[in-house]
């Protein structure tokens, strides 16, 4: 990573768990609309590559009225601030190995496994103190049983967000995710590499890179970091009201 980008990244990370600093500073930038405010209706947050865009797309497709969302800061500070403001907060959690590998594949010019694991640990440690005050949704539930997550959110906060209609299938949501990614310039080939619309070459290249990175995670220094991240993930999972449903999904 170029030295200036590395400096900016580390500066961002250093304040990403401090709402009183991170939120007002980010609010001044081009992505200020992503920060929770007193006018926000719902916060959708999570570590990158944890289903954030899928949930955003599915949520927007399911609602009959405009909902003011705060989303995609990937910073614990946004979650902590949502709790301070007593705003409904839907937080995605995904296993560190899968999330970090996906992030490095997506952002190879910015990320490496060491940085991705460090950021994963920082985000999840940052939200652990409010885990009982937010709606934690495992990646598997969010992407395979979206309405279960929304139902849990409504039960947790007494909200009445609409469920996703049965006539809107997963491929339609993924097409919207691809459109969002193109708009935000976060994909190289016009679609997400896991999209059903990705070419076989893209999928095969992604699979090969996943295997290479999995092998690297066995290196002692990276394995130690991964173990710490996995421990945090396992501590958070049972705090989700959807944990048992996730176990059923896995079975």
């Amino acid at each position: 990573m170029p030295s200036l980008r590395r400096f900016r990244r580390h500066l961002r990370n250093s304040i990403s768990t401090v709402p009183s600093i991170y939120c007002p500073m980010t609010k001044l930038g081009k992505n200020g609309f992503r920060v929770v405010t007193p006018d926000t209706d719902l916060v959708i947050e999570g570590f990158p590559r944890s289903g954030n865009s899928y949930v955003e797309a599915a949520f927007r497709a399911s609602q009959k009225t405009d909902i003011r969302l705060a989303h995609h800061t990937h910073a614990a500070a946004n979650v902590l601030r949502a709790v301070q403001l007593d705003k409904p907060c839907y937080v995605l959690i995904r296993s560190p190995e899968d999330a970090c590998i996906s992030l490095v594949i997506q952002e190879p010019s910015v990320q490496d496994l060491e940085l991705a694991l460090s950021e994963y640990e920082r985000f999840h440690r940052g939200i652990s103190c409010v885990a009982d005050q937010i709606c934690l949704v495992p990646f598997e539930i969010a992407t395979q049983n979206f309405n279960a997550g929304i139902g849990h959110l409504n039960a947790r906060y007494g909200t009445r967000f609409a469920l996703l209609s049965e006539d809107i299938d997963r491929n339609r949501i993924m097409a919207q995710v691809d459109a969002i990614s193109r708009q935000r310039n976060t994909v190289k080939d016009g679609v997400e590499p896991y999209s059903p619309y990705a070419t076989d070459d893209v999928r095969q290249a992604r699979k090969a890179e996943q295997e290479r990175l999995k092998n690297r995670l066995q290196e002692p220094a990276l394995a130690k970091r991964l173990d710490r991240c996995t421990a945090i993930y396992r501590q958070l999972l049972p705090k989700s009201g959807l944990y048992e449903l996730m176990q059923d999904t896995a079975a």
Side-chain angles (χ1 to χ4, degrees):
M1 187 192 308
S3 57
L4 179 58
R5 294 184 71 181
R6 181 175 292 275
F7 172 78
R8 292 177 62 184
R9 191 75 183 191
H10 284 291
L11 177 61
R12 178 263 181 199
N13 289 344
S14 70
I15 64 172
S16 66
T17 60
V18 187
S20 61
I21 301 176
Y22 178 87
C23 291
M25 286 189 65
T26 304
K27 190 68 179 171
L28 294 174
K30 65 178 182 179
N31 292 322
F33 67 93
R34 298 181 178 180
V35 177
V36 61
T37 73
D39 295 325
T40 297
D41 295 313
L42 173 66
V43 178
I44 299 174
E45 273 295 354
F47 185 75
R49 315 309 287 176
S50 296
N52 296 273
S53 293
Y54 182 87
V55 170
E56 179 196 353
F59 186 83
R60 292 189 187 281
S62 64
Q63 302 310 301
K64 305 299 187 290
T65 59
D66 288 336
I67 303 295
R68 290 165 294 192
L69 290 179
H71 59 94
H72 277 91
T73 69
H74 306 304
N78 212 31
V79 176
L80 299 174
R81 182 60 176 152
V83 172
Q84 292 173 354
L85 293 172
D86 196 26
K87 295 296 180 179
C89 190
Y90 178 118
V91 180
L92 290 139
I93 49 175
R94 187 183 187 186
S95 72
E97 179 176 316
D98 292 339
C100 291
I101 284 176
S102 183
L103 179 57
V104 173
I105 292 173
Q106 185 204 29
E107 300 182 1
S109 65
V110 176
Q111 287 286 348
D112 55 36
L113 286 172
E114 183 176 7
L115 178 59
L117 288 166
S118 174
E119 291 183 355
Y120 184 100
E121 183 175 2
R122 184 185 295 270
F123 177 86
H124 292 85
R125 284 197 188 282
I127 68 169
S128 62
C129 62
V130 295
D132 295 327
Q133 303 174 63
I134 57 180
C135 179
L136 285 172
V137 183
F139 171 84
E140 292 81 359
I141 299 300
T143 57
Q144 298 175 38
N145 191 352
F146 175 78
N147 282 343
I150 298 303
H152 182 52
L153 176 74
N154 285 336
R156 171 72 180 78
Y157 291 102
T159 49
R160 296 183 178 180
F161 296 122
L163 301 181
L164 187 65
S165 172
E166 292 182 359
D167 63 357
I168 302 177
D169 63 18
R170 181 179 174 82
N171 283 357
R172 181 171 166 185
I173 297 300
M174 283 307 310
Q176 185 59 35
V177 171
D178 290 336
I180 290 172
S181 297
R182 286 193 296 273
Q183 180 183 12
R184 296 172 184 167
N185 197 29
T186 58
V187 288
K188 297 178 182 178
D189 303 303
V191 298
E192 291 283 355
Y194 56 85
S195 169
Y197 304 103
T199 65
D200 287 341
D201 287 345
V202 168
R203 281 195 285 266
Q204 290 172 6
R206 180 171 182 260
K207 184 175 180 179
E209 184 64 0
Q210 285 175 326
E211 290 302 315
R212 185 186 74 82
L213 292 170
K214 282 183 180 180
N215 290 333
R216 281 217 57 212
L217 284 173
Q218 298 177 25
E219 297 172 9
L222 291 175
K224 186 175 181 179
R225 284 183 177 271
L226 178 59
D227 286 345
R228 291 203 303 268
C229 292
T230 301
I232 299 168
Y233 172 68
R234 289 176 177 169
Q235 289 169 6
L236 288 173
L237 265 182
K239 296 184 178 183
S240 169
L242 298 165
Y243 180 60
E244 291 185 2
L245 183 58
M246 178 188 170
Q247 298 299 95
D248 293 340
T249 301

